[in-house]
Amino acid sequence: QSWTIVPGFTHHAHSASLSAVAVNNRYVVTGSRDETIQIYDMKKKIEHGALLQHNGTITCLEFYGTAHLLSGAEDGLICIWNTKRWECLKSIKAHKGQVTSLSIHPSGKLALSVGTDKTLSMVCTDEGIVTWNLVEGRSAFIKNLKQNAQLIKWSPDGERYVTVIANKVDIYRLDTASVSGTITTERRISSLRFITDSILAIAGDDEIIRFYSCDSQKCLCEFKAHENRIKDIYTFEREGQHVIVTASSDGYIKMWNLDLDKIQDVPSLLCEVNTKARLTCLAVWLDEASEMKEDSDKAAASSQAKEDEESSTVKKNKALWTDASGKTAKKKRKTIPEKQKLEAPLQKKKKKQNIST
């Protein structure tokens, strides 16, 4: 089944180009070269406010759950925000240079960041990120890198993390803190995303998306996705369907259907849209309330279909309605007086309204 993409909410967010975007179940936050973080309430489809803690371009944003946001910028700071009151709980000097990327461990107890000072920094707490407003956030250790890393990402299970330096991906094991493998591509890597705990989607300064195994470091599949370099990748799962979303400098956003059981096969294109803009970053906000309503509607429809099937054996010369107890009553039409025929549908409608109320 083909999908369609339509504009849902559009706003002139910043006075300069956007450099980062992040989402949780309610908010979308965007970072820019204008040194501000803008907040949007997606439930109400309105602008919610701005955060002005950083000096310099906002380089990375990441939510942890519904209560906290981490931001990094050119000033070398990592800021921890409470998303209930939108106040800065802690500002940590993580790097001497700019913060280029950060990633929060699935447990919330530590976050990794990389910067232009050729270091990898770990910030952790004793109690976890959810209590960073209660305990002091601190730098646990700093690891020197041979070159500046532009990306860092935890795997979904938190057992490994990857760093990107130019066209090389180093895979680290958490238990050994050492490199367990390296993936090298021909062109500079601009984006990567874990599809599963052990499969990476990698895109770079070309039009190709490649899937790699973290265990064997072998390329499982590659395909041409765009006509220009790919700037960002996002993945999500809905109703058992794995979807990859890609954004390119050619202005197109594309959505692909991925069959994990046939990872070697090229994903099928679900839909695409030409934004007529030079895209820089991408995120996907899923309306959980709509999904829950959709699931509820499907369950109700399935239940109704079952009831309709059970009642299909009733002869056409019989009338049906629901009494106050919810039981279906049956009467032959020939036994219903003319006046009662008119009152029955009204009575049925009224009782249904009472039950739903």
Side-chain angles (χ1 to χ4, degrees):
Q1 183 180 359
S2 62
W3 291 20
T4 57
I5 301 177
V6 296
F9 173 75
T10 306
H11 187 76
H12 193 278
H14 297 272
S15 59
S17 61
L18 276 72
S19 51
V21 60
V23 299
N24 69 0
N25 66 343
R26 178 169 183 176
Y27 295 104
V28 170
V29 292
T30 57
S32 168
R33 295 183 183 276
D34 64 9
E35 305 182 355
T36 68
I37 300 170
Q38 298 288 341
I39 311 165
Y40 298 93
D41 187 329
M42 294 304 292
K43 299 288 186 180
K44 299 178 180 179
K45 297 292 193 296
I46 60 172
E47 184 181 9
H48 191 72
L51 306 177
L52 308 173
Q53 188 75 14
H54 289 285
N55 293 315
T57 299
I58 310 301
T59 55
C60 44
L61 296 164
E62 186 166 330
F63 278 103
Y64 181 74
T66 60
H68 292 86
L69 168 74
L70 266 67
S71 61
E74 280 184 340
D75 55 11
L77 296 178
I78 291 179
C79 293
I80 305 156
W81 303 89
N82 178 297
T83 61
K84 304 301 180 183
R85 299 181 297 275
W86 289 108
E87 63 179 349
C88 184
L89 303 175
K90 193 74 181 176
S91 181
I92 303 166
K93 184 65 176 177
H95 296 272
K96 294 178 181 179
Q98 74 180 53
V99 182
T100 54
S101 180
L102 64 84
S103 184
I104 306 170
H105 190 270
S107 68
K109 292 187 176 181
L110 53 92
L112 296 177
S113 65
V114 288
T116 55
D117 55 358
K118 298 182 182 179
T119 63
L120 182 153
S121 178
M122 176 183 287
V123 177
C124 72
T125 69
D126 296 328
E127 301 298 332
I129 193 172
V130 294
T131 56
W132 275 4
N133 57 330
L134 302 177
V135 299
E136 182 180 2
R138 65 185 189 278
S139 178
F141 76 86
I142 295 175
K143 177 182 176 64
N144 292 320
L145 303 174
K146 293 181 180 180
Q147 293 175 272
N148 291 329
Q150 64 262 30
L151 292 172
I152 190 164
K153 187 75 67 177
W154 282 104
S155 64
D157 61 4
E159 294 297 320
R160 66 183 107 201
Y161 61 91
V162 297
T163 62
V164 174
I165 299 175
N167 64 332
K168 185 178 68 172
V169 181
D170 285 328
I171 304 166
Y172 290 81
R173 295 289 306 181
L174 178 61
D175 52 1
T176 61
S178 59
V179 177
S180 62
T182 299
I183 297 169
T184 304
T185 62
E186 294 182 1
R187 305 290 292 273
R188 181 180 181 274
I189 296 169
S190 58
S191 178
L192 86 166
R193 186 74 55 169
F194 275 95
I195 298 176
T196 67
D197 293 328
S198 60
I199 298 177
L200 272 173
I202 298 176
D205 287 350
D206 55 16
E207 311 85 20
I208 309 298
I209 291 179
R210 297 174 176 87
F211 300 146
Y212 282 90
S213 167
C214 290
D215 299 321
S216 65
Q217 293 88 55
K218 291 183 178 179
C219 183
L220 304 175
C221 174
E222 66 176 49
F223 63 98
K224 182 178 179 180
H226 290 271
E227 297 300 324
N228 207 326
R229 62 179 179 177
I230 298 165
K231 294 296 292 183
D232 213 346
I233 309 172
Y234 208 92
T235 63
F236 67 93
E237 183 179 349
R238 185 172 183 179
E239 298 176 358
Q241 186 176 22
H242 291 268
V243 180
I244 298 177
V245 189
T246 58
S248 169
S249 294
D250 62 13
Y252 276 88
I253 296 174
K254 296 186 179 184
M255 305 181 74
W256 309 82
N257 179 39
L258 175 64
D259 188 347
L260 291 179
D261 295 328
K262 301 177 181 178
I263 192 67
Q264 292 82 8
D265 295 346
V266 175
S268 57
L269 183 64
L270 290 169
C271 60
E272 62 180 24
V273 61
N274 186 2
T275 65
K276 299 179 181 179
R278 185 175 174 272
L279 301 175
T280 56
C281 49
L282 170 80
V284 175
W285 177 75
L286 297 175
D287 188 351
E288 295 180 359
S290 296
E291 288 191 15
M292 290 175 64
K293 183 178 183 303
E294 186 178 311
D295 293 340
S296 177
D297 291 344
K298 285 185 178 181
S302 176
S303 177
Q304 184 63 45
K306 185 176 181 180
E307 289 181 10
D308 292 344
E309 185 179 352
E310 291 175 351
S311 63
S312 63
T313 56
V314 178
K315 294 181 180 180
K316 292 182 179 181
N317 66 338
K318 294 183 180 181
L320 301 177
W321 66 89
T322 304
D323 61 18
S325 65
K327 296 180 179 179
T328 301
K330 302 179 183 179
K331 292 289 181 181
K332 291 185 178 181
R333 287 190 177 185
K334 64 181 181 180
T335 63
I336 303 175
E338 192 66 28
K339 185 177 180 181
Q340 188 175 349
K341 283 185 179 181
L342 296 175
E343 291 177 348
L346 295 176
Q347 184 182 17
K348 176 184 178 183
K349 183 177 180 181
K350 183 178 179 182
K351 288 177 179 177
K352 280 189 175 180
Q353 288 176 342
N354 289 338
I355 293 171
S356 64
T357 303

